[in-house]
Each structure stands twice: as structure tokens, then as C-alpha cells.
Amino acid sequence: MILGSSRSVPAMFVFGDSIVDPGNNNHIKTLVKCNFPPYGRDFKGGKPTGRFSNGFVPSDLLAQGFGVKEIVPAYLDPNLQTQDLITGVSFASGANGYDPLTSKIASVISMTEQLDLFKQSLTKIKAAVGEEQTANILSKSIFIVCSGSDDIANTYFSTPFRRLHYDINSYTDLMSNAASSFLQELYGVGARRIAVMSAPPIGCVPSQRTISGGIFRDCSEPANHAARLFNCKLSSVIGSLSQKFPDSKIVFVDVYNPLLSLIQNPTKYGFEVATKGCCGTGNIEVSILCTQLSDSKTCKDDTKYIFWDSYHPTEAAYKVLVTEVLNKYKNCFF
């Protein structure tokens, strides 16, 4: 890749939740961790890194697709090198949400705190490469923002705190307003190419089927409805920010429909199991419930499964989704 070319991407910086957390939660006091087997069993060296999957997560696959590097490391990794920082890191934290309460409930890094860590990292980048080069990196890098599913699944539907005061319409307003503030702050720090992931069909992940899907473990329609409502609002927020900041490329990335299509037609994409995760019984295990103790029940061939645990897709499913996303949206950033 020629560094001077207009399509070159010098770095990728990532914000959000467990879909793009490569291990930041390993280094904070929270129960939401996965730095133990069988997580990471298909990652390089078969080591659990704190990624909430069996292998690469979307931030890694997107960095590969944009020609940046093979993996996007966690900013809080004590072994992080200056070169890692200059080519981009992830500040994401599993169980995070746009709603500040979501991160508080799980004791994880909020969107505001992730932004503060990014500002801290900019000081280090400037010290290494100077003001001018830092400005250049900022204007050409891709910024990934992926959050919102934990607001819906964990905070709204699993705790009483917000439902007392908000119906789903006003709660998705709270989420989209928070997303808007975050994106404006990110722009304010210098980000110009920003990919904002939609919420997924969260009602179709195995844990939500188990909790809310009845005897047949159907998708939970209230959760999916909330995700669609939020996506509609997020999309319009991004539309208005694109007008407000004409020198930016802020792109709404629909992952709801591609993932739903995968879940509804698994065999079309080479998968066999769409309603259970590979880990343990696949119905409810996630994070600290998905451990070596569940090994006897854990699937042998995770390439046949869309979900690795009851909440997070497998690397194989992520590869299908990220390929679709890159095909559809990559040119929007240049």
C-alpha cells in the first residue's frame, strides 16, 4: 500500500462494546471478562486475549479489510508499543452502551471515558510523530463506533431502572441523543471518517431467545423492535451530522439486516446452527458462564455456528458480515 495514496488508511481507532473490545476489560475491575478458555481458541496461538469470540472480532477484520494491520490491540494492554498506537487501537469495553447507566451497571468503560482515553492517546501520538503528522493521521484514519445493543438487552429489558421512566420510544431517543453527542465530540477531536454500526437484531441472539422467546425460543420481537427504532433514529442523526460537518464522512452501517439474513438463512452462508451458541449448551452461557467447565458441551466445529456464545457471533460469522459491510460501504470513506 502506498502511504501517499488518497485511499490509504494510516490507522483505525475503535470505540464501543464487546463486539469490538480486544481485551480492555481484562485491565479493569468488572465481571464482564472473557480472558480464559474456551474464548480465543481459534485466535493466533489459541490464546484467550479478552476478545469476546473464538477468534478475530470485527475491528480486526475491518482493519485487515482497509489494509491497516492484522489486529487492533486494546489501548489498556500494558505491552502496547508506540507503533501500535500510531496505527490505531481499540478503546471499546464489553457491556458498554450509549446510555451512561449501561456502563455503570456493568462497571465498564463508558463512551465518555473512552473518548478521554483517546484524547490521552493523542498526546502520546503527538509526542512520537509531531503535531502535523498527528493531524494527518486523524484526518485519514477510520473510526469505528459500535454500541447500543447492551442498552437494549441489558439495561432496558433486563433491569427496571429505565423502564420506570421511559417507554421504548423515549429510551431510544435517549440512546440516539447520546450517540449524537459522542459523534460530535469525536469530530471535535479531529475524526473525519467515522463508521457507525447499527444495532443488531438483538432479539435473535441465543440468550434473548432463551430469556424472552418462549418455549420455541423464537426471536424476541420487543428487543428487535427497539433495535429497529434506534437504528432509524441513529440513521437520521448521522444524516444531520453529515450536513453539519460537510468535511466529514460519517457513515451509518447497517448490520441489522445482514445479520438477520444470516440467522434466517444459515445454510445459504454455509452455517448449520443459528439459534444456539457453540459454548456449553449455547442457550445462556456468555462471559464468566462460558468457561472450560462447559467444555464437555462446547461444540467441536465452530465454523458451523453463527454464534460463539449466547451473545457474540463466531469469527466465521463475523467474516461473512464484515465482507458484506466492506463491499457495501468501503467506498463511502474516500
Side-chain angles (χ1 to χ4, degrees):
M1 180 138 98
I2 308 148
L3 248 174
S5 85
S6 62
R7 292 181 71 93
S8 75
V9 175
M12 183 172 282
F13 296 96
V14 186
F15 302 85
D17 59 22
S18 59
I19 302 298
V20 289
D21 177 359
N24 284 308
N25 279 13
N26 299 352
H27 308 289
I28 60 172
K29 285 195 167 76
T30 177
L31 285 176
V32 187
K33 291 187 202 287
C34 60
N35 53 343
F36 41 77
Y39 284 95
R41 73 177 191 187
D42 302 302
F43 197 75
K44 299 187 303 184
K47 284 199 288 287
T49 57
R51 284 171 173 78
F52 289 76
S53 189
N54 58 302
F56 289 127
V57 291
S59 38
D60 304 315
L61 299 169
L62 287 163
Q64 293 164 24
F66 276 101
V68 180
K69 53 185 175 181
E70 191 188 17
I71 61 167
V72 179
Y75 178 64
L76 296 182
D77 182 345
N79 302 314
L80 196 74
Q81 304 298 311
T82 305
Q83 188 50 37
D84 295 326
L85 199 52
I86 294 165
T87 51
V89 289
S90 174
F91 304 94
S93 177
N96 147 294
Y98 287 116
D99 177 356
L101 181 62
T102 301
S103 306
K104 203 171 269 169
I105 291 169
S107 304
V108 298
I109 310 164
S110 70
M111 293 304 270
T112 306
E113 289 163 340
Q114 290 183 28
L115 204 59
D116 289 340
L117 291 174
F118 176 54
K119 289 174 185 167
Q120 182 188 92
S121 80
L122 281 179
T123 311
K124 296 177 184 172
I125 294 171
K126 279 176 191 160
V129 300
E131 289 277 350
E132 195 180 330
Q133 182 61 8
T134 301
N136 184 46
I137 290 171
L138 272 175
S139 67
K140 291 194 171 75
S141 292
I142 302 275
F143 291 79
I144 306 285
V145 182
C146 174
S147 194
S149 60
D150 293 297
D151 295 324
I152 295 167
N154 298 350
T155 305
Y156 193 78
F157 285 109
S158 303
T159 71
F161 307 122
R162 291 298 195 201
R163 281 202 309 267
L164 289 169
H165 308 285
Y166 296 87
D167 61 11
I168 199 59
N169 190 36
S170 55
Y171 187 66
T172 46
D173 280 343
L174 180 152
M175 288 171 66
S176 58
N177 289 337
S180 177
S181 303
F182 176 81
L183 292 168
Q184 290 182 72
E185 284 195 58
L186 195 54
Y187 176 89
V189 186
R192 290 299 175 267
R193 294 169 167 173
I194 309 173
V196 188
M197 304 296 167
S198 76
I202 191 68
C204 294
V205 306
S207 63
Q208 299 306 303
R209 289 177 184 268
T210 301
I211 295 163
S212 314
I215 192 157
F216 297 112
R217 295 184 69 254
D218 296 320
C219 294
S220 163
E221 187 40 43
N224 279 355
H225 169 69
R228 291 193 301 271
L229 200 54
F230 169 66
N231 288 343
C232 190
K233 292 172 182 180
L234 182 64
S235 177
S236 84
V237 156
I238 290 167
S240 56
L241 291 180
S242 298
Q243 288 179 315
K244 186 174 176 180
F245 307 129
D247 63 333
S248 72
K249 300 229 183 326
I250 308 175
V251 180
F252 174 81
V253 176
D254 171 30
V255 290
Y256 184 99
N257 290 298
L259 181 53
L260 190 62
S261 169
L262 202 57
I263 291 165
Q264 288 172 342
N265 318 289
T267 51
K268 180 183 158 191
Y269 299 91
F271 294 96
E272 290 172 11
V273 187
T275 62
K276 290 176 182 264
C278 165
C279 187
T281 63
N283 293 334
I284 202 72
E285 291 87 346
V286 64
S287 184
I288 51 172
L289 297 177
C290 169
T291 64
Q292 278 180 305
L293 300 176
S294 8
D295 257 6
S296 61
K297 298 193 192 78
T298 295
C299 77
K300 298 290 172 273
D301 184 1
D302 49 49
T303 63
K304 300 280 190 281
Y305 281 69
I306 291 171
F307 289 97
W308 164 248
D309 59 20
S310 71
Y311 202 88
H312 306 95
T314 54
E315 178 189 291
Y318 280 145
K319 280 182 169 164
V320 172
L321 292 171
V322 169
T323 301
E324 285 195 28
V325 162
L326 287 166
N327 288 342
K328 185 172 176 185
Y329 298 103
K330 192 175 179 183
N331 290 337
C332 303
F333 295 97
F334 303 104

